[in-house]
Amino acid sequence: MKNHVYKIIELTGTSTTSIEDAVDTAIERAHKTLKHLGWFQVIETRGSIDKGKVQHWQVTLKVGFTLEG
Amino acid sequence: MKNHVYKIIELTGTSTTSIEDAVDTAIERAHKTLKHLGWFQVIETRGSIDKGKVQHWQVTLKVGFTLEG
Amino acid sequence: MKNHVYKIIELTGTSTTSIEDAVDTAIERAHKTLKHLGWFQVIETRGSIDKGKVQHWQVTLKVGFTLEG
Amino acid sequence: MKNHVYKIIELTGTSTTSIEDAVDTAIERAHKTLKHLGWFQVIETRGSIDKGKVQHWQVTLKVGFTLEG
Amino acid sequence: MKNHVYKIIELTGTSTTSIEDAVDTAIERAHKTLKHLGWFQVIETRGSIDKGKVQHWQVTLKVGFTLEG
Amino acid sequence: MKNHVYKIIELTGTSTTSIEDAVDTAIERAHKTLKHLGWFQVIETRGSIDKGKVQHWQVTLKVGFTLEG
Amino acid sequence: MKNHVYKIIELTGTSTTSIEDAVDTAIERAHKTLKHLGWFQVIETRGSIDKGKVQHWQVTLKVGFTLEG
Amino acid sequence: MKNHVYKIIELTGTSTTSIEDAVDTAIERAHKTLKHLGWFQVIETRGSIDKGKVQHWQVTLKVGFTLEG
Amino acid sequence: MKNHVYKIIELTGTSTTSIEDAVDTAIERAHKTLKHLGWFQVIETRGSIDKGKVQHWQVTLKVGFTLEG
Amino acid sequence: MKNHVYKIIELTGTSTTSIEDAVDTAIERAHKTLKHLGWFQVIETRGSIDKGKVQHWQVTLKVGFTLEG
Amino acid sequence: MKNHVYKIIELTGTSTTSIEDAVDTAIERAHKTLKHLGWFQVIETRGSIDKGKVQHWQVTLKVGFTLEG
Amino acid sequence: MKNHVYKIIELTGTSTTSIEDAVDTAIERAHKTLKHLGWFQVIETRGSIDKGKVQHWQVTLKVGFTLEG
């Protein structure tokens, strides 16, 4: 059985609506240049505040993908 | 006043829609066999990716419940 | 260029519906007495359980704001 | 020499008097159903407050015990 | 059901006798100016030494209290 | 698509020969009573020493398995 | 011997020149409203970048001070 | 004396036989496209289980290499 | 003003009675060979269990002392 | 409002003079190939010693930059 | 029952072959000057790389030993 | 190739002027009794405050050195 190697990169996705949407934003962007994305892990959830409201959710994730041979 | 003892178990719930739904999934399953569930704490939020989209949210939580006498 | 100083406080917001709503609840309350709120970071996500359902989401966050001169 | 396997569970013991007593409470309860308890590690020390006094010490511990063959 | 907000502050209580007494010292002092104290968590246990004896136990805790509307 | 729930338990396997063997020991023992073991994560690697030699490798792992419906 | 109580707050000081200057900035500001500052601990060192140069050093610290009786 | 700059990437190597082999797998793959690899640090050791046996060791490492001028 | 240097060592004290007593045991032993002990920090609180009772409290601490010129 | 995505890379800068200079070295090197660098966070401060003197400060940082569309 | 005191030191062992061998190297060296070594805990696993191969495994461990009366 | 063993000790250096100077102070003192110092890692940066000014920077570091055969 072949031994795979994966690379893990760190991204911050942002969204005005939700944590899930910020994750989706980051993964969709990564998918433009990296095929074989396999999993992610949320590292940090932050956000900016404007006039007492959350302005942007900022979710930092690690994203893993298969390195081809 | 009686001194209670609680047990804490670790579960991973999954969902195709949201972090909250993954938590609900885990707690509902635990409730089938454990009464007296009292609280939970999110330990890790991960997920699987398929074709550049989140396929499953995987949320690991600690769940605490009262041990009877 | 003036060197700013920020203060960071810790709050727990609660909600019966979602993590995002619990964060909003905390920030709206802080905004009543503190102007210049600038950012937040989620520190912990917990909750209470009643009859096998999440009763309250309890999200602890650090909130940063500008200290005026 | 035989290779042992140990299982580790997480418990929260409570007490109105001291941290040590909360630990004792948890271990005595675990001993009712698990023989071969061998060691513990304190993970977290919390408590509830009522009218400016500690009401309950809540000490979370990991407890290890030998799994029989 | 109303969504509460809690504030969490960090205090160090000291005592010449025990960890529990250092916690009590901090909570009693906080209670003078803050009503509605609800819970605490021990963050760090340190101490000063004089002539080979513990001189002061220094226990740092987070203390949570309800923010009124 | 069905949402799975996984349970995670903590075990310490021991071995006189290697870290890998200590992990194998723990997983083989768990497999006796739990089907559907899916993954593990090494949490801590310790050991006992006798006369300047490693006597036992003690490897603590989290092991995850599928909870059936 | 009297048992003291200390309060610990979290501040971020900024500076265009150095980490030490950012710490000084935070402590000088705190000293305007709080007497009896006793110690600090650096929690995080971050910064903003503009055109490939550090624009502001942002140093987050915990600052402890004596609570009077 | 010239001030070097190093870049650090995160990789997961896998192996059916040992932790060391999983590390070797990751480093050999990285070496195909990056010269000047200098050091690594093991971040996490996980694995997949099939029928009560370790199927793949999955070792995540940080790998550092010199960035040329 | 002279710049002092401190050395920090790690000790585990044990006691059959309490956490405080285990700390005292360690500090008294260290004091036999090291003068100028100044402070300690509790790093870990563990213990051994025999027949469902705590047999020994094992408290690991860092102890700091002044290095003379 | 557009949702941005940021990428975060890890670098170690070195300097014979100071922590700040090591950070500058890393950021200047990154700026050669990456525009839109926005912020950094110091992760680790190490160094090499030669003949009882610091030879090189080695500061590891995370550096974030905007990923264009 | 006598209350023992243990001292814990930190060592890095190296090996060109395996993690276990690096641990053995460190413990054998410690045993030359310290009798009563009792246990160890692996703190960090790193290594140096030369021409795309692991050159040295560098394993940092804490080693505990009994302090005689 | 010979397998080296390194010992790691923990020191706190102090300085009235800067973090770098506190590190230098600790390393120069260690060099008086230990040859072969090879590297250090900053563990904690604290300080004492007097009248709203930093009085002493207190930097705790781990320092590694080669143990001779």
Side-chain angles (χ1 to χ4, degrees):
Chain A
M1 192 164 8
K2 194 158 171 303
N3 293 334
H4 290 284
V5 178
Y6 306 91
K7 187 171 179 183
I8 297 155
I9 57 170
E10 198 168 325
L11 299 173
T12 300
T14 61
S15 163
T16 56
T17 58
S18 74
I19 295 171
E20 284 85 350
D21 190 51
V23 171
D24 288 344
T25 301
I27 290 173
E28 282 169 24
R29 177 61 185 78
H31 182 61
K32 286 188 185 176
T33 51
L34 297 166
K35 300 307 147 193
H36 310 302
L37 299 178
W39 82 91
F40 68 92
Q41 179 180 2
V42 173
I43 296 301
E44 194 178 56
T45 303
R46 302 172 69 105
S48 58
I49 304 172
D50 187 49
K51 302 196 183 73
K53 301 276 181 198
V54 176
Q55 188 182 40
H56 269 100
W57 295 88
Q58 301 161 338
V59 182
T60 299
L61 39 166
K62 296 202 173 192
V63 182
F65 58 96
T66 313
L67 278 182
E68 290 177 81
Chain B
M1 193 166 7
K2 193 155 170 308
N3 293 335
H4 291 284
V5 178
Y6 306 90
K7 187 171 178 182
I8 295 154
I9 57 171
E10 199 167 324
L11 299 172
T12 301
T14 62
S15 163
T16 55
T17 59
S18 74
I19 295 170
E20 284 84 350
D21 190 51
V23 172
D24 288 343
T25 301
I27 290 173
E28 281 169 26
R29 177 60 185 79
H31 182 61
K32 286 188 185 178
T33 50
L34 298 167
K35 301 305 147 193
H36 310 303
L37 300 177
W39 82 93
F40 68 95
Q41 179 181 1
V42 173
I43 296 300
E44 193 177 57
T45 303
R46 303 172 70 104
S48 58
I49 304 173
D50 187 49
K51 303 195 183 73
K53 301 276 181 200
V54 176
Q55 187 182 42
H56 269 100
W57 295 87
Q58 302 161 336
V59 182
T60 299
L61 39 166
K62 296 202 174 192
V63 182
F65 57 95
T66 313
L67 278 181
E68 288 176 85
Chain C
M1 191 166 7
K2 195 159 171 303
N3 293 334
H4 290 284
V5 178
Y6 306 91
K7 187 171 178 183
I8 296 155
I9 57 170
E10 199 169 323
L11 299 172
T12 301
T14 61
S15 164
T16 55
T17 59
S18 73
I19 295 171
E20 284 84 349
D21 190 51
V23 172
D24 288 344
T25 301
I27 291 173
E28 281 169 26
R29 177 61 185 78
H31 183 61
K32 285 188 185 178
T33 50
L34 297 166
K35 300 306 147 194
H36 311 302
L37 299 178
W39 81 91
F40 69 94
Q41 179 181 4
V42 173
I43 295 301
E44 194 178 56
T45 302
R46 302 172 69 103
S48 58
I49 304 173
D50 187 49
K51 303 195 183 74
K53 301 276 180 199
V54 176
Q55 187 181 42
H56 269 101
W57 295 88
Q58 301 161 337
V59 182
T60 299
L61 39 166
K62 296 202 175 193
V63 182
F65 57 95
T66 314
L67 278 181
E68 290 177 83
Chain D
M1 192 166 8
K2 194 158 171 302
N3 293 333
H4 290 285
V5 178
Y6 306 91
K7 187 171 178 183
I8 295 155
I9 57 171
E10 199 168 324
L11 299 172
T12 300
T14 61
S15 163
T16 55
T17 59
S18 74
I19 295 171
E20 284 84 351
D21 190 51
V23 172
D24 289 343
T25 302
I27 290 173
E28 282 169 25
R29 177 62 185 79
H31 183 61
K32 286 188 185 178
T33 50
L34 298 166
K35 300 306 146 191
H36 311 302
L37 299 178
W39 81 92
F40 68 93
Q41 179 181 2
V42 173
I43 296 301
E44 194 178 56
T45 303
R46 302 173 69 105
S48 58
I49 305 172
D50 187 49
K51 302 196 183 74
K53 301 276 180 198
V54 176
Q55 188 182 40
H56 269 101
W57 295 88
Q58 301 161 338
V59 182
T60 299
L61 38 166
K62 296 202 174 191
V63 182
F65 58 95
T66 313
L67 277 181
E68 289 177 83
Chain E
M1 193 166 8
K2 195 158 170 304
N3 293 334
H4 291 283
V5 179
Y6 305 90
K7 186 171 179 183
I8 296 155
I9 57 171
E10 198 168 324
L11 299 172
T12 301
T14 62
S15 164
T16 56
T17 59
S18 73
I19 296 170
E20 284 85 350
D21 191 50
V23 172
D24 288 343
T25 302
I27 290 173
E28 282 169 26
R29 177 60 186 80
H31 182 61
K32 285 188 185 178
T33 50
L34 297 166
K35 300 307 147 195
H36 311 303
L37 299 177
W39 81 92
F40 68 94
Q41 179 181 4
V42 173
I43 295 302
E44 194 178 55
T45 303
R46 302 172 69 105
S48 58
I49 304 172
D50 187 47
K51 302 195 183 73
K53 300 276 180 200
V54 176
Q55 188 181 41
H56 268 101
W57 295 88
Q58 301 161 338
V59 183
T60 300
L61 39 166
K62 296 202 173 191
V63 182
F65 58 95
T66 313
L67 278 181
E68 289 177 81
Chain F
M1 193 165 8
K2 194 158 171 303
N3 293 335
H4 290 284
V5 178
Y6 306 91
K7 186 170 179 183
I8 296 154
I9 57 171
E10 199 168 325
L11 299 172
T12 301
T14 62
S15 163
T16 55
T17 59
S18 73
I19 295 171
E20 284 84 350
D21 190 51
V23 172
D24 288 343
T25 301
I27 290 173
E28 282 168 25
R29 177 60 186 79
H31 182 61
K32 286 188 185 177
T33 50
L34 297 166
K35 301 306 146 194
H36 311 302
L37 299 178
W39 82 92
F40 68 94
Q41 179 181 3
V42 173
I43 296 301
E44 193 178 56
T45 302
R46 304 172 69 104
S48 57
I49 304 172
D50 188 48
K51 302 195 184 74
K53 301 276 181 199
V54 175
Q55 188 183 40
H56 269 100
W57 296 88
Q58 302 161 338
V59 183
T60 299
L61 37 167
K62 296 203 174 190
V63 182
F65 57 96
T66 313
L67 277 181
E68 290 177 83
Chain G
M1 192 166 8
K2 194 156 171 306
N3 294 334
H4 290 285
V5 179
Y6 306 91
K7 187 171 179 184
I8 295 155
I9 57 170
E10 199 168 325
L11 299 172
T12 300
T14 61
S15 165
T16 56
T17 60
S18 73
I19 296 170
E20 284 85 350
D21 191 51
V23 172
D24 288 343
T25 301
I27 291 174
E28 281 169 26
R29 177 60 185 79
H31 182 62
K32 286 189 185 178
T33 50
L34 298 166
K35 301 306 147 194
H36 311 301
L37 300 177
W39 82 92
F40 68 94
Q41 179 181 2
V42 173
I43 296 301
E44 193 179 56
T45 303
R46 302 171 69 105
S48 58
I49 304 172
D50 187 48
K51 303 195 183 73
K53 301 276 181 199
V54 176
Q55 188 182 42
H56 269 101
W57 295 88
Q58 302 161 337
V59 182
T60 299
L61 39 166
K62 296 201 173 193
V63 182
F65 58 95
T66 314
L67 278 182
E68 289 176 82
Chain H
M1 192 164 10
K2 194 158 171 306
N3 293 334
H4 291 284
V5 178
Y6 306 91
K7 186 170 178 183
I8 296 154
I9 57 171
E10 199 168 325
L11 299 172
T12 301
T14 61
S15 163
T16 55
T17 59
S18 74
I19 295 170
E20 284 85 349
D21 190 52
V23 172
D24 288 343
T25 301
I27 291 173
E28 282 169 26
R29 176 60 186 79
H31 182 61
K32 286 188 185 177
T33 50
L34 297 166
K35 300 306 147 194
H36 311 303
L37 299 178
W39 82 92
F40 69 93
Q41 179 181 3
V42 174
I43 296 302
E44 194 178 56
T45 303
R46 303 172 69 104
S48 57
I49 304 173
D50 187 48
K51 302 197 183 74
K53 301 276 180 200
V54 175
Q55 188 182 41
H56 269 101
W57 295 88
Q58 301 160 337
V59 182
T60 299
L61 37 167
K62 297 202 174 192
V63 182
F65 57 96
T66 313
L67 277 181
E68 289 177 82
Chain I
M1 192 167 5
K2 194 156 171 306
N3 293 333
H4 290 284
V5 178
Y6 306 91
K7 186 170 178 184
I8 295 154
I9 57 171
E10 198 167 323
L11 299 172
T12 301
T14 61
S15 164
T16 55
T17 58
S18 73
I19 295 171
E20 284 85 350
D21 190 51
V23 172
D24 288 344
T25 301
I27 291 173
E28 282 169 26
R29 177 60 186 79
H31 182 61
K32 286 187 184 178
T33 51
L34 297 167
K35 302 303 147 196
H36 311 303
L37 299 178
W39 81 93
F40 68 93
Q41 179 181 2
V42 173
I43 295 301
E44 193 177 56
T45 302
R46 302 173 69 104
S48 57
I49 304 172
D50 187 48
K51 303 196 183 73
K53 301 275 180 200
V54 176
Q55 187 181 42
H56 269 100
W57 295 88
Q58 302 161 337
V59 183
T60 299
L61 38 167
K62 297 202 174 193
V63 182
F65 57 96
T66 313
L67 278 181
E68 288 175 84
Chain J
M1 193 166 6
K2 193 157 171 305
N3 293 334
H4 290 285
V5 178
Y6 306 91
K7 187 171 179 183
I8 296 155
I9 57 171
E10 199 168 323
L11 299 172
T12 301
T14 62
S15 163
T16 55
T17 59
S18 73
I19 295 170
E20 284 84 350
D21 191 51
V23 172
D24 287 343
T25 301
I27 290 173
E28 282 169 26
R29 177 60 186 79
H31 182 61
K32 286 188 185 178
T33 50
L34 297 166
K35 302 305 146 195
H36 311 303
L37 299 178
W39 81 93
F40 68 94
Q41 179 181 2
V42 173
I43 296 300
E44 194 177 56
T45 302
R46 302 172 69 104
S48 57
I49 304 173
D50 187 48
K51 303 194 183 73
K53 300 275 180 200
V54 176
Q55 188 181 41
H56 269 101
W57 295 89
Q58 302 160 337
V59 182
T60 299
L61 38 167
K62 296 201 174 192
V63 182
F65 58 96
T66 313
L67 278 181
E68 290 177 83
Chain K
M1 191 165 9
K2 194 156 170 307
N3 293 333
H4 290 285
V5 178
Y6 306 91
K7 187 171 177 182
I8 295 155
I9 58 170
E10 199 168 325
L11 299 172
T12 300
T14 61
S15 164
T16 56
T17 59
S18 73
I19 295 170
E20 284 84 350
D21 190 51
V23 172
D24 288 343
T25 302
I27 291 173
E28 282 168 26
R29 177 61 186 80
H31 183 61
K32 286 188 185 177
T33 50
L34 297 166
K35 301 307 146 193
H36 311 302
L37 299 177
W39 81 93
F40 68 93
Q41 179 181 3
V42 173
I43 296 301
E44 193 177 57
T45 303
R46 303 172 69 103
S48 58
I49 304 173
D50 187 48
K51 303 195 183 74
K53 301 276 180 198
V54 176
Q55 187 181 42
H56 269 101
W57 296 87
Q58 302 160 338
V59 182
T60 300
L61 38 167
K62 297 203 174 192
V63 182
F65 57 97
T66 313
L67 278 181
E68 289 177 81
Chain L
M1 192 166 7
K2 195 158 170 305
N3 293 334
H4 291 285
V5 179
Y6 306 91
K7 187 171 178 183
I8 296 155
I9 57 171
E10 199 168 324
L11 299 172
T12 300
T14 61
S15 163
T16 55
T17 58
S18 73
I19 295 171
E20 284 84 350
D21 190 51
V23 172
D24 288 343
T25 302
I27 291 172
E28 281 168 26
R29 176 62 186 78
H31 183 62
K32 286 187 185 178
T33 51
L34 298 166
K35 300 304 146 194
H36 311 302
L37 299 178
W39 81 92
F40 69 92
Q41 179 181 2
V42 173
I43 296 301
E44 194 177 56
T45 303
R46 302 172 68 105
S48 58
I49 304 172
D50 187 48
K51 302 196 183 73
K53 302 276 181 198
V54 176
Q55 188 183 42
H56 269 101
W57 295 87
Q58 302 161 336
V59 182
T60 299
L61 38 166
K62 296 201 174 194
V63 182
F65 57 96
T66 313
L67 277 181
E68 289 176 84

